[in-house]
Amino acid sequence: MNHFLDIHTTSATDLRHMIDHAADMKQARAGRPKGTRDDDQPLAGHIVALIFEKPSTRTRVSFDVGVRQMGGETMVLSGKDMQLGHGETIADTARVLSRFVDMIMIRTFDEAVLYEMAEYADVPVINGLTDRTHPCQIMADIQTFEEHRGLITGKKVVWTGDGNNVCSSFLHAAGQFGFDLTFTGPAQLDPEDEYIGFARNKGSTIAIERDPFKAVEGADLIVADTWVSMHDSQSSKERRHNMLRGYQVNEELMSHAKPDALFMHCLPAHREEEATSAVMDGPHSVIFDEAENRLHAQKAIMRWCLGV
């Protein structure tokens, strides 16, 4: 049994296997109706609990569809349904769910909830997102880059904006997959030293450059994310917009990167804020391939977790 909790807690060898497996499964489904099941049914007879303390579109749909394509069944539970950590401890919830289901995916706020769930569960637990990391998204991003540009090892990735949970997982991935990452954004929103240190200790070059035009020079990939969270107050949103306005990914910024540089955004996006529609819908953008690959990457993760 394997938990998929974070990119840095999974071996580089296993991560590479998952990316390659995801690409193979995607190719095997090419041209097939989306509602059809895979020829291989490794999750037949398995039930997967999908727990959402945070709202979700891509995570919910991609995990649900992925389980069904592989022959399994899902049980979708919200935080309100379960009162997770309120009416019952996380540990007891993990023990109980382990008696009913074969795997648990949880999308939650506090990273401690994820790790306590994994500690006490007798079935694999997958990190669907926490306030600190988002490893499933980055696995899809790696898959997307490589299907367009080949191996990401040795490439330069530029993260622009807020050093948030997605950025943290990109830093983990830099260390595990051997690429370099430059962060460009205001000092108040720098990624945590812990994540920078992990990547540097693995041999990746991690730089912080306040000037976004200098940051993207030589970039193979530029990544943006939303500037505000759905939970931010109006005053907080205004402060963030003021801080981040100079880091918008627009056509001028893209022109300073490599001519074949890709653009990614994990979505949902606030168009004309962190990135312009001209970039998001332009020739550099792979945002919808990126969204689709959540399905394939997560199928590979689930198969790895169950050893099937």
Short mmCIF file of all heavy atoms in Angstrom, two decimals, residues 32 38 48 55 81 86 129 149 158 179 184 205 226 228 239 246 284-285:
data_model
loop_
_atom_site.label_atom_id
_atom_site.label_comp_id
_atom_site.label_asym_id
_atom_site.label_seq_id
_atom_site.Cartn_x
_atom_site.Cartn_y
_atom_site.Cartn_z
N ARG A 32 -11.31 7.45 -28.38
CA ARG A 32 -12.43 6.69 -27.82
C ARG A 32 -13.44 7.63 -27.18
O ARG A 32 -13.08 8.68 -26.65
CB ARG A 32 -11.93 5.69 -26.77
CG ARG A 32 -11.01 4.63 -27.32
CD ARG A 32 -10.57 3.66 -26.23
NE ARG A 32 -11.70 3.00 -25.60
CZ ARG A 32 -11.56 2.02 -24.70
NH1 ARG A 32 -10.36 1.62 -24.35
NH2 ARG A 32 -12.62 1.46 -24.16
N ASP A 38 -11.90 1.80 -19.78
CA ASP A 38 -10.63 1.33 -20.32
C ASP A 38 -10.72 -0.17 -20.61
O ASP A 38 -11.49 -0.90 -19.97
CB ASP A 38 -9.50 1.57 -19.30
CG ASP A 38 -9.25 3.04 -19.04
OD1 ASP A 38 -9.75 3.88 -19.81
OD2 ASP A 38 -8.55 3.35 -18.05
N VAL A 48 -13.72 3.97 -4.11
CA VAL A 48 -12.83 5.06 -3.71
C VAL A 48 -13.66 6.18 -3.09
O VAL A 48 -14.62 6.67 -3.71
CB VAL A 48 -12.03 5.61 -4.92
CG1 VAL A 48 -11.09 6.73 -4.48
CG2 VAL A 48 -11.26 4.48 -5.61
N PRO A 55 -14.41 23.34 -2.16
CA PRO A 55 -15.11 23.16 -3.44
C PRO A 55 -14.13 22.74 -4.54
O PRO A 55 -12.93 23.02 -4.46
CB PRO A 55 -15.69 24.55 -3.73
CG PRO A 55 -15.72 25.24 -2.40
CD PRO A 55 -14.57 24.70 -1.62
N ASP A 81 -21.02 16.80 5.00
CA ASP A 81 -21.58 15.46 5.17
C ASP A 81 -20.93 14.74 6.35
O ASP A 81 -21.57 13.99 7.08
CB ASP A 81 -21.34 14.60 3.92
CG ASP A 81 -22.12 15.09 2.72
OD1 ASP A 81 -23.19 15.69 2.91
OD2 ASP A 81 -21.66 14.86 1.58
N HIS A 86 -14.78 17.35 13.55
CA HIS A 86 -15.65 18.07 14.48
C HIS A 86 -16.47 17.06 15.30
O HIS A 86 -16.28 16.94 16.50
CB HIS A 86 -16.57 19.02 13.73
CG HIS A 86 -15.84 20.05 12.92
ND1 HIS A 86 -15.16 21.10 13.50
CD2 HIS A 86 -15.66 20.17 11.59
CE1 HIS A 86 -14.60 21.84 12.55
NE2 HIS A 86 -14.88 21.29 11.38
N LEU A 129 -5.36 18.11 -2.51
CA LEU A 129 -4.97 19.50 -2.31
C LEU A 129 -5.02 19.80 -0.83
O LEU A 129 -5.91 19.33 -0.12
CB LEU A 129 -5.89 20.48 -3.06
CG LEU A 129 -5.66 21.98 -2.83
CD1 LEU A 129 -5.87 22.77 -4.12
CD2 LEU A 129 -6.62 22.53 -1.76
N ARG A 149 7.06 18.96 -25.19
CA ARG A 149 8.45 19.39 -25.34
C ARG A 149 9.48 18.34 -24.93
O ARG A 149 10.67 18.63 -24.89
CB ARG A 149 8.70 20.67 -24.52
CG ARG A 149 7.90 21.89 -24.97
CD ARG A 149 8.41 22.43 -26.29
NE ARG A 149 7.73 23.65 -26.68
CZ ARG A 149 6.67 23.69 -27.48
NH1 ARG A 149 6.18 22.55 -27.98
NH2 ARG A 149 6.10 24.85 -27.80
N VAL A 158 9.47 29.05 -14.91
CA VAL A 158 9.31 30.32 -14.19
C VAL A 158 7.91 30.36 -13.59
O VAL A 158 6.91 30.21 -14.30
CB VAL A 158 9.52 31.54 -15.11
CG1 VAL A 158 9.22 32.83 -14.37
CG2 VAL A 158 10.94 31.55 -15.65
N PHE A 179 14.67 19.78 -12.80
CA PHE A 179 14.62 21.01 -13.57
C PHE A 179 14.86 22.20 -12.65
O PHE A 179 14.85 22.06 -11.43
CB PHE A 179 13.31 21.15 -14.35
CG PHE A 179 12.05 21.16 -13.52
CD1 PHE A 179 11.55 22.33 -12.96
CD2 PHE A 179 11.32 19.99 -13.30
CE1 PHE A 179 10.38 22.36 -12.20
CE2 PHE A 179 10.15 19.99 -12.55
CZ PHE A 179 9.68 21.17 -12.01
N THR A 184 9.20 34.65 -9.61
CA THR A 184 9.13 36.10 -9.73
C THR A 184 7.81 36.57 -9.16
O THR A 184 6.73 36.13 -9.57
CB THR A 184 9.33 36.56 -11.19
OG1 THR A 184 9.37 37.99 -11.23
CG2 THR A 184 8.25 36.06 -12.13
N THR A 205 18.63 24.42 -9.58
CA THR A 205 18.90 25.86 -9.40
C THR A 205 17.57 26.56 -9.17
O THR A 205 16.69 26.55 -10.02
CB THR A 205 19.58 26.44 -10.65
OG1 THR A 205 20.84 25.80 -10.83
CG2 THR A 205 19.80 27.95 -10.49
N THR A 226 -4.09 31.85 -9.87
CA THR A 226 -4.95 32.92 -9.42
C THR A 226 -4.30 33.72 -8.30
O THR A 226 -3.57 33.18 -7.47
CB THR A 226 -6.31 32.37 -8.95
OG1 THR A 226 -7.15 33.44 -8.54
CG2 THR A 226 -6.14 31.39 -7.80
N VAL A 228 -5.96 35.44 -6.01
CA VAL A 228 -6.79 35.49 -4.80
C VAL A 228 -7.46 34.15 -4.58
O VAL A 228 -7.72 33.41 -5.51
CB VAL A 228 -7.86 36.61 -4.88
CG1 VAL A 228 -7.23 37.97 -4.98
CG2 VAL A 228 -8.81 36.36 -6.05
N ARG A 239 -5.42 44.34 -1.90
CA ARG A 239 -3.99 44.40 -1.60
C ARG A 239 -3.20 43.48 -2.53
O ARG A 239 -2.15 43.86 -3.04
CB ARG A 239 -3.73 43.99 -0.14
CG ARG A 239 -4.12 45.04 0.88
CD ARG A 239 -3.49 44.75 2.23
NE ARG A 239 -3.82 43.42 2.72
CZ ARG A 239 -4.89 43.13 3.44
NH1 ARG A 239 -5.78 44.09 3.73
NH2 ARG A 239 -5.10 41.90 3.87
N GLY A 246 2.02 43.93 -11.53
CA GLY A 246 3.21 43.95 -12.38
C GLY A 246 3.69 42.59 -12.83
O GLY A 246 4.62 42.48 -13.64
N HIS A 284 1.10 29.72 -27.16
CA HIS A 284 1.97 29.18 -26.11
C HIS A 284 1.19 28.37 -25.07
O HIS A 284 1.78 27.59 -24.33
CB HIS A 284 2.69 30.31 -25.39
CG HIS A 284 3.58 31.13 -26.27
ND1 HIS A 284 4.82 30.71 -26.67
CD2 HIS A 284 3.39 32.35 -26.85
CE1 HIS A 284 5.38 31.62 -27.45
NE2 HIS A 284 4.53 32.64 -27.57
N SER A 285 -0.11 28.56 -25.03
CA SER A 285 -0.93 28.02 -23.94
C SER A 285 -1.25 26.54 -24.13
O SER A 285 -1.63 26.10 -25.22
CB SER A 285 -2.23 28.81 -23.82
OG SER A 285 -3.06 28.25 -22.83
#
